[in-house]
Amino acid sequence: MENEKIYGAQAYPSESVSPPPPMYGESSGTRGSIPRRILDSFKRDPNAHATPKGTVGADGKVFDAESAAQATADSPLSRKLKGRHLQMIAIGGSIGTGLFVGSGKALASGGPASLLIAFALIGVMLYCTVHALGEMAVLFPVAGSFSAYSTRFLDPAWGFAMGWNYALQWLVVLPLEIVAASITVDYWNSSVSSAAWVAIFLFVIVSINFFGVKGYGEAEFVFSIIKVIAVIGFIILGIILNCGGGPRGGYIGGRYWHDPGAFHNGFKGLCSVFVTAAFAFAGTELVGLAAAETANPRKSLPTAVKQVFWRITLFYIVSLTIVGLLVKYTDERLLNGSGSSDAKASPFVIAIKDAGISGLDSVMNVVIMIAVLSVGNSSIYGSSRTLAALAEQNQAPKFLAYIDRKGRPLVSICIASVIGLLAFLAASNKAGEAFNWMLALSGLSSIFTWGSICLAHIRFRKGWRVQGHTLDELAFRSQPGVIGSWIGFLFNILVLIAQFWTGFAPVGYAKMSATELVKNFFSAYLAAPIVIAFYIVYKFYFKTPFIRSHNMDLSTGIRELNLAELIAEERAERAAWPKWKKAYKFLC
């Protein structure tokens, strides 16, 4: 055995027989020194089966939906995310400045009752949407996730529009969030240039993503734990303060719901909060995008999807109830922030300051900074994976589909990172203007994405039934079902209407000039005409069909070939569980 080397369970003579080639989905091993192994890891994965030449759009005017589905299913992205990563992405992934700072402006616009009603209604919408996404992602854990589902179950042109809409959203968000992180440092009156902080934060975020999906997962795991602990800590502290247990004492109760009141600016105030609440939940769908890089999505995804309900209830509804009890909506500090991440305008920080607790406001500002970095981290992940999936379906330049031996979409990550350099515009006099229009590009992106997920699920269920399948064949079934998807879809339409109204005639529009009104409308609604333009141009150029129920591809991308047997075994196992475990697994 001295002249033999061991590969797996078999021995091969070192001279005469070479080791077996890598199985599909595995990367070939690299040898040599550490620098050589690092260099080799950036080479293209030999198993990377991007869409074969001559199939998808071969003549420039044909879209082959079947080959596109196969390309996303065969994507060689690394599958290293574990259940704990997915659960923390689901629980804390989208907790960011929308909750910590944006809720302050929402409170000032609509009052505490509007804040609760709007976030609760959007929470119901997201609960339905994430369950719909979970059902499809467990069955088809493919690259591109929701944009690929739009291509497969709705219309390839709409999938193209949704993919680019989602990629552009995250590409634009990265420089915005890096600048936002530098603003959080200004809370301590730092003398260091903002450009230096931009460079530091950009380097940290890009470095995390060059560690691949494992790096993203571990970073989000840590970030989410910190955010979750901070929110739970604030809820406990808020209850104590409300009952008069703070340094300054005095029972508060529901005083601020009576004076100055529960509502502000009437129904329009509620609609403006409705829009803010929708943006605060942006990023919730990332759990579905991560399915393609999860070791066992059939086991991990259902748990992660169910936990979204608890995040909505505990971290949004309960914490904002406390905020509404501790901070008046007339407090001028709520509107005095210099940006979306300025802790001075955070109702969480204002509540702590009003209680007379010194030092804790700085701790909260650190949490806000971590939340901003978390969103920046997600932005590279979300944009790079979506761009790679679009390229694999021939809906983007093919070089974007380059995936190296470590399963990283390298070119897409580099492009997202380079766009992050726009954050250095922060030093420019025109920075505010530039960033406002960049933000407008991504303004309605999440609404279109969520609506498409719900509609794709409705169409998927129709195709599943028409092609003779039963719901018992699904590894995970959406708890609210098709009715929930209709509720989610209609809620998304309502948010679009509310955004149109508040963009066209915002609160206090009578005092605004015509130029200001036009500027306000396009800053709120610019994403809509861009999405429509993407769809119409692609639709007419490629003449893509609406996917009929009987033509839907319901087999490509299913990982387990013996799915029926696996589901039967799991159901037999669940039947033997005690009642407490059945109840727990239903909820979590």
Side-chain angles (χ1 to χ4, degrees):
M1 294 292 288
E2 291 181 2
N3 65 334
E4 295 179 350
K5 294 186 179 180
I6 305 299
Y7 292 96
Q10 295 180 326
Y12 296 87
S14 57
E15 296 180 2
S16 58
V17 182
S18 60
M23 298 292 288
Y24 173 74
E26 297 177 353
S27 295
S28 60
T30 55
R31 299 187 180 193
S33 63
I34 291 176
R36 167 56 59 185
R37 291 205 302 268
I38 292 173
L39 189 64
D40 284 348
S41 75
F42 291 102
K43 293 181 179 178
R44 184 184 286 276
D45 187 335
N47 295 309
H49 300 294
T51 314
K53 290 181 180 178
T55 52
V56 181
D59 63 357
K61 291 200 175 184
V62 175
F63 186 89
D64 188 338
E66 186 178 326
S67 296
Q70 190 66 53
T72 54
D74 290 349
S75 175
L77 291 170
S78 176
R79 296 171 181 174
K80 292 184 178 177
L81 282 182
K82 297 179 181 176
R84 64 183 177 88
H85 297 133
L86 269 191
Q87 287 171 32
M88 291 314 294
I89 290 170
I91 291 174
S94 70
I95 296 174
T97 53
L99 174 64
F100 291 129
V101 182
S103 57
K105 187 177 180 181
L107 178 62
S109 298
S114 292
L115 191 68
L116 271 186
I117 292 169
F119 271 82
L121 290 175
I122 297 296
V124 169
M125 177 184 86
L126 257 294
Y127 171 74
C128 297
T129 303
V130 172
H131 269 264
L133 176 60
E135 183 180 301
M136 293 186 291
V138 168
L139 191 62
F140 307 110
V142 298
S145 190
F146 23 85
S147 64
Y149 300 146
S150 292
T151 296
R152 190 187 286 204
F153 304 132
L154 298 175
D155 181 351
W158 188 248
F160 170 79
M162 285 300 95
W164 277 104
N165 164 62
Y166 196 70
L168 287 173
Q169 175 199 2
W170 285 121
L171 287 171
V172 165
V173 161
L174 177 60
L176 292 174
E177 293 302 319
I178 291 171
V179 171
S182 67
I183 290 172
T184 62
V185 180
D186 292 338
Y187 185 79
W188 296 293
N189 300 314
S190 171
S191 59
V192 179
S193 166
S194 61
W197 289 114
V198 164
I200 292 168
F201 292 137
L202 182 61
F203 176 78
V204 169
I205 291 171
V206 172
S207 298
I208 289 171
N209 278 273
F210 270 108
F211 279 102
V213 71
K214 195 74 182 292
Y216 165 74
E218 293 295 351
E220 281 305 300
F221 184 75
V222 174
F223 289 156
S224 294
I225 286 176
I226 293 170
K227 290 186 284 186
V228 166
I229 291 172
V231 173
I232 292 174
F234 176 81
I235 289 170
I236 296 169
L237 175 65
I239 293 170
I240 294 169
L241 295 178
N242 189 257
C243 295
R248 293 178 182 169
Y251 175 74
I252 300 173
R255 183 190 310 164
Y256 299 148
W257 281 61
H258 298 285
D259 180 23
F263 292 94
H264 187 218
N265 294 320
F267 185 65
K268 185 171 284 186
L270 173 63
C271 285
S272 64
V273 179
F274 207 49
V275 173
T276 306
F279 298 149
F281 282 103
T284 307
E285 70 289 334
L286 277 168
V287 70
L289 192 66
E293 295 178 84
T294 303
N296 190 348
R298 188 174 51 81
K299 289 278 189 182
S300 307
L301 259 180
T303 303
V305 165
K306 290 172 189 173
Q307 288 175 348
V308 168
F309 170 79
W310 298 108
R311 188 193 72 207
I312 292 167
T313 305
L314 181 63
F315 303 138
Y316 283 88
I317 306 303
V318 176
S319 65
L320 291 175
T321 300
I322 301 294
V323 162
L325 292 172
L326 295 177
V327 182
K328 297 178 181 178
Y329 71 71
T330 53
D331 195 315
E332 292 182 359
R333 290 171 293 179
L334 293 171
L335 298 173
N336 285 342
S338 60
S340 64
S341 64
D342 191 347
K344 297 183 183 73
S346 168
F348 291 78
V349 172
I350 291 170
I352 291 168
K353 276 192 165 184
D354 286 350
I357 304 172
S358 59
L360 202 56
D361 56 327
S362 288
V363 173
M364 201 68 210
N365 189 55
V366 171
V367 173
I368 292 170
M369 183 170 69
I370 288 170
V372 170
L373 290 174
S374 173
V375 175
N377 185 35
S378 296
S379 67
I380 291 187
Y381 178 80
S383 58
S384 63
R385 269 58 181 183
T386 305
L387 285 173
L390 284 168
E392 285 177 341
Q393 296 175 89
N394 222 35
Q395 293 177 329
K398 295 297 292 181
F399 65 85
L400 293 172
Y402 183 98
I403 295 173
D404 67 16
R405 295 184 179 187
K406 292 295 182 183
R408 297 169 295 204
L410 201 59
V411 175
S412 295
I413 289 175
C414 289
I415 285 177
S417 304
V418 167
I419 290 177
L421 295 173
L422 289 173
F424 286 102
L425 280 172
S428 164
N429 295 330
K430 295 286 185 181
E433 194 76 16
F435 286 127
N436 283 338
W437 287 110
M438 285 166 67
L439 193 60
L441 277 173
S442 65
L444 294 172
S445 176
S446 293
I447 309 301
F448 281 111
T449 298
W450 298 335
S452 295
I453 290 169
C454 292
L455 193 57
H457 180 246
I458 292 166
R459 294 293 302 144
F460 158 70
R461 279 287 190 94
K462 176 75 180 299
W464 192 254
R465 179 169 51 81
V466 167
Q467 294 188 26
H469 296 283
T470 65
L471 296 183
D472 290 334
E473 296 174 59
L474 297 173
F476 171 69
R477 203 182 306 171
S478 166
Q479 288 178 350
V482 176
I483 293 174
S485 293
W486 275 113
I487 291 170
F489 179 69
L490 293 174
F491 262 112
N492 278 290
I493 299 297
L494 289 175
V495 172
L496 286 175
I497 294 170
Q499 176 75 332
F500 183 86
W501 186 35
T502 55
F504 179 74
V507 174
Y509 72 94
K511 299 177 182 177
M512 298 170 70
S513 66
T515 304
E516 288 173 329
L517 285 170
V518 171
K519 189 175 177 181
N520 182 79
F521 175 75
F522 279 105
S523 65
Y525 229 74
L526 182 62
I530 290 176
V531 168
I532 293 168
F534 267 74
Y535 174 70
I536 291 174
V537 170
Y538 197 88
K539 180 77 175 173
F540 281 96
Y541 187 79
F542 285 99
K543 298 179 175 61
T544 58
F546 295 108
I547 306 299
R548 303 291 299 274
S549 301
H550 60 274
N551 289 332
M552 287 179 187
D553 181 354
L554 299 178
S555 58
T556 304
I558 297 177
R559 279 195 198 171
E560 289 91 357
L561 298 177
N562 58 335
L563 188 60
E565 290 85 351
L566 289 170
I567 294 172
E569 285 177 17
E570 287 174 2
R571 284 181 181 151
E573 182 186 337
R574 284 199 291 267
W577 286 347
K579 288 183 180 179
W580 67 267
K581 191 171 183 180
K582 287 180 181 177
Y584 172 77
K585 287 294 184 180
F586 177 80
L587 296 171
C588 300

